[in-house]
Amino acid sequence: MTITAQGSPAELPAPAQAPAVDAAPGPAAAAPLPEIAERPGRCLPGGVAVLTALAVAAGTAALLLGPAGSSPVLRGSAAAFLAAVAALTALGLVRGRPGAVWLLSRHGAYRGTVRRTGLLWISPLLLRRRVDTSLRHWRSSPIEATDAKGIPLRTTVLVVWRVRDTARAAFTVHDHVRYLREQVEAAVARCVSRLPADDFHGPGPTLRDADRLADDLTRSLVEDLRPVGVEVFSARPVRVDYAPAVAAAMRRAQLAALDARHRRAALDDALTAVGETVRGLLDRGLVDLEDYERKALVRDLTVAYCTARAVEGPPPAG
């Protein structure tokens, strides 16, 4: 016999909860590197450096040629210091010219870009490298690609470009000129594959539309080269030719399409002339033809017109 205590039952203790276990820390997210961008470098006008060098030279001469009352050791130390200042002043003189800038770095770190022209003084403790920022053009060799129908082509492109951001061009890519040329090849392969080289059966868009192809190439290269500080002004196709392996076959296909188009135009002209002739005869009441007679007349007139056109030959090219 089980006896239970009267009254409110005692509350049962809550089950012990396991201590919260922190999630295993994953790899720390790498902080994004600061984006490099061109900034002005420090320099002084060259005239100030020249005056400083002259003043140091004059002070050195006065020190060496002055009275010998002071200690020779102090005089030698002062002369050596002034000579070092003169050497640093002379070594820092550079010439800035239009279309080129000085890229400054120290121990591989970017220290600025000097775009000023004329005689300048830049600290000789910095590594100086001249970067060409003038407008440049490059004509590619024939680039192999395939059009929208898979026909191999050879395309030559003329690109007009310049370096806009020297810091990106120097530090975000190993060789910006080589990178430009490789991006041109990739852009040509991508843009050429969107359209057929020729459309022998209709007036559809083709690669013979040089302006359209140039717009596609320029837009693609502008987007690809902006991150490395290169500005592309235009990329125009100079030549778009079939590859030698298929050039003869495509030439025959082009001639066959032109001949078919000429025959179709000649037939349309003949049918138009026959229709006007038959309509004129009927309107004037010169003939009264049954249906089978009208068909026979149309056939005979069509043969006559086509024969006359074949004898006369195609019209001369305008």
Side-chain angles (χ1 to χ4, degrees):
M1 182 175 182
T2 303
I3 302 174
T4 59
Q6 294 182 359
S8 61
E11 294 182 357
L12 296 177
Q17 296 182 353
V21 179
D22 296 334
L33 297 176
E35 183 179 0
I36 189 171
E38 180 180 319
R39 63 176 184 269
R42 296 180 179 180
C43 67
L44 293 175
V48 175
V50 171
L51 293 178
T52 302
L54 292 177
V56 169
T60 304
L63 184 63
L64 295 177
L65 299 178
S70 59
S71 171
V73 177
L74 294 178
R75 294 177 62 185
S77 300
F81 173 76
L82 293 177
V85 173
L88 286 176
T89 304
L91 291 175
L93 289 174
V94 295
R95 183 172 62 91
R97 61 188 183 188
V101 300
W102 287 106
L103 185 73
L104 310 180
S105 62
R106 178 185 294 165
H107 306 301
Y110 176 61
R111 295 300 181 184
T113 300
V114 177
R115 288 184 173 267
R116 298 175 59 179
T117 58
L119 188 62
L120 305 172
W121 184 86
I122 300 176
S123 172
L125 302 179
L126 297 174
L127 179 62
R128 296 165 290 184
R129 192 176 84 183
R130 192 181 290 275
V131 178
D132 188 358
T133 57
S134 60
L135 195 65
R136 304 169 65 179
H137 68 277
W138 173 67
R139 176 170 177 159
S140 70
S141 57
I143 300 173
E144 297 183 357
T146 56
D147 67 354
K149 297 181 179 179
I151 300 174
L153 304 174
R154 303 181 68 183
T155 306
T156 304
V157 182
L158 178 65
V159 183
V160 180
W161 63 282
R162 72 173 179 182
V163 174
R164 184 176 183 86
D165 192 309
T166 56
R168 293 184 179 181
F171 293 101
T172 60
V173 67
H174 179 67
D175 186 349
H176 64 275
V177 177
R178 181 178 178 182
Y179 182 79
L180 166 73
R181 297 180 179 181
E182 293 177 351
Q183 288 297 325
V184 169
E185 294 182 2
V188 168
R190 183 168 58 250
C191 295
V192 166
S193 63
R194 297 172 182 170
L195 295 173
D198 291 293
D199 189 359
F200 301 138
H201 305 290
T206 64
L207 297 178
R208 302 305 175 185
D209 188 352
D211 292 336
R212 177 170 182 170
L213 181 57
D215 292 341
D216 292 343
L217 286 173
T218 303
R219 191 180 307 110
S220 179
L221 288 176
V222 166
E223 296 297 330
D224 292 340
L225 295 172
R226 183 183 292 114
V228 298
V230 175
E231 182 180 12
V232 176
F233 291 90
S234 67
R236 305 193 64 85
V238 179
R239 296 188 62 180
V240 179
D241 297 328
Y242 290 105
V246 298
M250 297 309 298
R251 179 61 177 172
R252 289 193 296 269
Q254 184 179 15
L255 292 177
L258 291 175
D259 183 66
R261 193 176 306 170
H262 172 69
R263 291 177 181 276
R264 191 180 303 113
L267 181 59
D268 291 341
D269 293 341
L271 292 178
T272 301
V274 168
E276 293 178 355
T277 302
V278 174
R279 189 181 302 108
L281 293 174
L282 295 176
D283 292 343
R284 297 178 183 180
L286 298 178
V287 293
D288 187 10
L289 303 174
E290 298 294 336
D291 185 58
Y292 73 92
E293 294 176 337
R294 184 168 58 252
K295 291 180 180 179
L297 178 60
V298 169
R299 182 182 63 252
D300 295 340
L301 290 176
T302 301
V303 172
Y305 275 111
C306 292
T307 304
R309 289 292 298 268
V311 172
E312 295 175 359

